[in-house]
Amino acid sequence: MTRADDAILELLSEAGIAANPSTIAFNIDYDRRYVSKRCRVLAEHGLVDRVHEGKAMYEITELGNNYLAGEVDGDTLEE
């Protein structure tokens, strides 16, 4: 898990809606391409879901919220 991962999850949790990597990047001050890559990794680990097939839109999952609440250890999510 990276600082960007935490920022992405926090933004999605606080917003309570799906967002695309461009919007996420703008709000957390990271490069869009990097955010897009991290969103794909977070999705692989079940922390976010991709909810729109055409344009990449992500929303936080229950597991993602549990991670933010400290109920899930980030080290157990690593490949």
Side-chain angles (χ1 to χ4, degrees), residues 12-46:
L12 291 174
S13 181
E14 290 170 7
I17 59 171
N20 64 42
S22 295
T23 301
I24 296 168
F26 177 79
N27 284 285
I28 65 171
D29 200 29
Y30 279 88
D31 178 73
R32 181 199 56 79
R33 282 185 238 139
Y34 181 67
V35 168
S36 183
K37 175 183 170 186
R38 296 312 305 168
C39 283
R40 287 191 302 272
V41 170
L42 291 170
E44 289 172 8
H45 293 290

Side-chain angles (χ1 to χ4, degrees), residues 1-9 30 34 38 42 67 78:
M1 298 294 290
T2 68
R3 285 188 205 161
D5 295 341
D6 291 341
I8 291 166
L9 293 172
Y30 279 88
Y34 181 67
R38 296 312 305 168
L42 291 170
Y67 167 78
E78 297 298 320

Side-chain angles (χ1 to χ4, degrees), residues 35-78:
V35 168
S36 183
K37 175 183 170 186
R38 296 312 305 168
C39 283
R40 287 191 302 272
V41 170
L42 291 170
E44 289 172 8
H45 293 290
L47 297 166
V48 300
D49 280 333
R50 185 174 175 162
V51 295
H52 190 277
E53 289 304 315
K55 185 174 186 181
M57 299 283 288
Y58 295 92
E59 67 182 9
I60 194 165
T61 63
E62 184 177 346
L63 180 63
N65 280 312
N66 290 343
Y67 167 78
L68 287 178
E71 298 170 8
V72 175
D73 184 1
D75 292 336
T76 64
L77 299 171
E78 297 298 320

